[in-house]
Amino acid sequence: MLSTAEGILLFISTSESVLGILGDVFIGVVSCNYYVKNKKLSTVGFIISGLAISRLCLSWLLIIDAYTKLFSEQLLSPVNTNEYMNYLWVIINNLSVLFATSLSVFYFLKIAKFSHYMFLWLKRRINLVFIFLIGCLLVTWLLSFPLLEKLIQDNKRNTSQQVPIKKSEFIIVCVFLNMGVIFYFVVALTACFLLIISLWRHRSRMQSHVSIFRDLNREAHVKAMQVLISFIILYILYFIGMAIVTLCLFIQEGKMLFMFGLIIAFLYPCCHSLILILTNSQLKQSSLQVVQRLNCFEIGTDLRATW
């Protein structure tokens, strides 16, 4: 049984996951509706849709894994479901980071202004950049699966033969297992940093030439920056949370720390979905329409009750 404090932490992490799932479902529904109406989907729309779908699956995996470890870990062992979930975790986690990094690179190449020939070459070949990132994803999967298999076999020996896993070896394997994620994170961080430099220069030039059009343009740039910076901050927190969850494997009776790590990790899928909705004009407009319809429904309900 969980203590009161552990129950509160579990409730908070579950609430975060539910909010993240609702946000990702909303993004996916709006994107599908837009595609059905217009028979086309923009590049940024495709990236955001892929990010929402992959992160939706990631949230479900996180919450299922959390409840399993807390309450019924034995249920997964007879059919090796735990192994399948580990492989799904590697696939979906890398896919989610790929789309998030692609979104960062897209904003960088579309908004930033540099005269360097390398930047101009990449700007004209943005589709090749996405193909390169997808190629890196495939290589990451090919390298990660053997490492994951080794980790699973070591865990089996630890369970059956009572052979303890060395902490240093386990940490090294986990680091190499996440090399693709680290690579994507470095790419996103670089894109965000360079975009900050570009926007800072642009702002300095704009201060002496103020106009309504330029103000609106600058506002769009600021929104893109908010998305990028929020991704960086939230993903750092996600790394910290998952590191805490992983370290809890070596700590006896570490449920409190485990759930604290879950709360930190769930901030990424929860908050970033809301930020995408609030900063994307199409998603924001759709969310306002939903709120208006709910208000009209409540007003209609009140009128029927009055009559």
Side-chain angles (χ1 to χ4, degrees):
M1 290 295 294
L2 299 178
S3 65
T4 303
E6 291 171 345
I8 292 173
L9 292 178
L10 183 61
F11 173 77
I12 294 173
S13 61
T14 304
S15 301
E16 288 177 339
S17 67
V18 170
L19 287 175
I21 289 171
L22 291 176
D24 291 325
V25 168
F26 177 78
I27 294 173
V29 170
V30 171
S31 299
C32 290
N33 186 46
Y34 180 83
Y35 175 76
V36 170
K37 287 183 177 180
N38 299 277
K39 301 300 181 182
K40 64 178 182 179
L41 194 63
S42 63
T43 303
V44 67
F46 172 77
I47 295 173
I48 291 177
S49 301
L51 178 60
I53 294 171
S54 61
R55 204 159 47 193
L56 176 64
C57 298
L58 186 66
S59 296
W60 275 112
L61 277 178
L62 271 173
I63 199 65
I64 291 172
D65 186 57
Y67 273 84
T68 300
K69 288 180 179 177
L70 288 173
F71 297 109
S72 55
E73 190 171 2
Q74 294 79 11
L75 294 178
L76 296 182
S77 54
V79 291
N80 294 327
T81 309
N82 197 21
E83 295 182 19
Y84 300 142
M85 288 186 65
N86 287 330
Y87 282 106
L88 277 175
W89 167 260
V90 171
I91 293 172
I92 295 174
N93 188 39
N94 282 275
L95 198 60
S96 174
V97 184
L98 166 69
F99 282 114
T101 303
S102 299
L103 186 63
S104 303
V105 173
F106 177 84
Y107 281 136
F108 166 64
L109 293 177
K110 285 293 183 180
I111 296 174
K113 296 184 182 299
F114 290 102
S115 58
H116 195 277
Y117 73 94
M118 190 64 184
F119 172 80
L120 298 175
W121 186 87
L122 291 174
K123 192 178 183 70
R124 290 192 297 266
R125 295 166 176 82
I126 189 170
N127 291 332
L128 289 179
V129 176
F130 294 144
I131 293 174
F132 171 74
L133 292 175
I134 293 173
C136 292
L137 174 69
L138 298 177
V139 172
T140 299
W141 283 344
L142 291 175
L143 296 178
S144 297
F145 289 153
L147 291 173
L148 183 59
E149 179 65 24
K150 181 181 183 305
L151 205 60
I152 291 173
Q153 295 302 325
D154 289 344
N155 187 47
K156 284 183 178 179
R157 283 196 298 270
N158 177 40
T159 305
S160 60
Q161 303 175 12
Q162 299 298 318
V163 179
I165 302 175
K166 295 181 180 179
K167 293 183 181 180
S168 58
E169 183 179 347
F170 178 80
I171 293 174
I172 291 173
V173 172
C174 285
V175 169
F176 279 101
L177 192 62
N178 289 283
M179 285 302 294
V181 175
I182 295 172
F183 166 75
Y184 285 128
F185 180 72
V186 171
V187 172
L189 187 64
T190 304
C192 184
F193 177 72
L194 292 175
L195 185 54
I196 290 174
I197 295 175
S198 176
L199 289 178
W200 184 266
R201 292 178 179 176
H202 180 70
R203 183 183 177 185
S204 300
R205 290 193 300 266
M206 293 274 292
Q207 296 208 337
S208 57
H209 301 86
V210 179
S211 68
I212 296 177
F213 174 76
R214 289 194 175 98
D215 285 342
L216 293 175
N217 194 27
R218 184 172 59 183
E219 183 181 351
H221 291 179
V222 170
K223 287 182 179 180
M225 276 303 309
Q226 290 173 348
V227 174
L228 293 181
I229 294 176
S230 65
F231 164 68
I232 298 298
I233 296 174
L234 291 171
Y235 211 76
I236 288 174
L237 292 176
Y238 175 75
F239 263 119
I240 295 173
M242 293 311 301
I244 293 174
V245 169
T246 304
L247 289 176
C248 287
L249 296 173
F250 299 101
I251 301 176
Q252 298 294 331
E253 301 298 328
K255 287 184 178 180
M256 183 79 73
L257 186 61
F258 175 78
M259 284 181 286
F260 179 72
L262 281 180
I263 290 176
I264 297 176
F266 273 126
L267 285 173
Y268 164 61
C270 173
C271 297
H272 198 245
S273 299
L274 297 178
I275 291 171
L276 283 176
I277 293 173
L278 294 176
T279 54
N280 184 280
S281 58
Q282 179 186 344
L283 294 174
K284 186 176 182 179
Q285 183 179 359
S286 299
S287 64
L288 291 176
Q289 290 175 354
V290 171
V291 172
Q292 289 174 356
R293 290 179 181 178
L294 290 175
N295 289 334
C296 292
F297 177 77
E298 290 179 359
I299 292 173
T301 304
D302 292 341
L303 289 175
R304 286 195 298 269
T306 302
W307 285 99

